[in-house]
Amino acid sequence: MIKQIELRLVGGSAPSGEITLKDLSAISAALQELVTRLSRDAADAAGPGRSKQYVEEFAELRLGAIQQGSTVLQFSKGPTDKLDVEVPGLADADDRFWEVLTAISTDHRPDWVSELIAESAGKLTLAMRAAADTVVVASPSRGDIRIE
């Protein structure tokens, strides 16, 4: 399960190690929306209304740090007060999240992507492109994805 997500912003308008609040807000909101929609979809809780509590908990993102050396945003994913266990369906959401990021980098939409997920991916793409020329997304359990 993905527990850490790192976005390295290269070539943005803000000085190295900084990000405008407008860009941080847009990236954070779009990233959270995409992760939540993928988690709901994988757990068969897509659509209107409240989803299962555990889906919301495992999709929750927290900003842990902003580092210099280009601007690096470090997000943590999932609950902090639960055992690190695999929840059925949510591992699929992580795989699909990485597949969507790869699709953004190659500009190719996977067949399984719903309109809601495509909308969220589009918002994230616009937010990242507004903040930086290049974004490198990384996670300890995955290979890096370069989005230009």
Side-chain angles (χ1 to χ4, degrees):
M1 181 177 292
I2 294 175
K3 300 291 278 180
Q4 301 287 330
I5 302 166
E6 180 180 283
L7 276 65
R8 180 174 304 276
L9 309 176
V10 181
S13 59
S16 179
E18 296 182 11
I19 184 171
T20 65
L21 290 180
K22 176 186 74 151
D23 288 339
L24 178 61
S25 176
I27 289 172
S28 298
L31 185 61
Q32 182 64 73
E33 182 181 274
L34 177 61
V35 169
T36 299
R37 284 184 172 173
L38 286 166
S39 296
R40 286 178 179 170
D41 191 60
D44 248 355
R50 304 249 332 139
S51 57
K52 300 170 185 147
Q53 180 67 30
Y54 76 89
V55 174
E56 297 298 323
E57 289 175 355
F58 280 88
E60 181 180 71
L61 297 175
R62 294 171 308 285
L63 178 64
I66 298 177
Q67 297 181 348
Q68 288 185 306
S70 72
T71 301
V72 179
L73 307 176
Q74 293 180 329
F75 295 92
S76 298
K77 181 176 162 288
T80 58
D81 60 346
K82 303 261 191 283
L83 291 175
D84 192 16
V85 296
E86 290 290 326
V87 177
L90 294 183
D92 292 338
D94 287 345
D95 292 340
R96 286 183 169 204
F97 172 64
W98 221 250
E99 192 174 337
V100 167
L101 292 174
T102 301
I104 291 170
S105 75
T106 62
D107 197 24
H108 176 75
R109 179 179 171 173
D111 294 335
W112 59 264
V113 170
S114 70
E115 288 303 315
L116 286 175
I117 291 171
E119 176 185 309
S120 296
K123 288 178 186 177
L124 180 59
T125 302
L126 290 174
M128 290 187 301
R129 289 196 173 133
D133 298 330
T134 302
V135 177
V136 179
V137 185
S139 180
S141 60
R142 309 285 172 138
D144 292 0
I145 297 173
R146 186 176 190 87
I147 300 170
E148 299 182 273

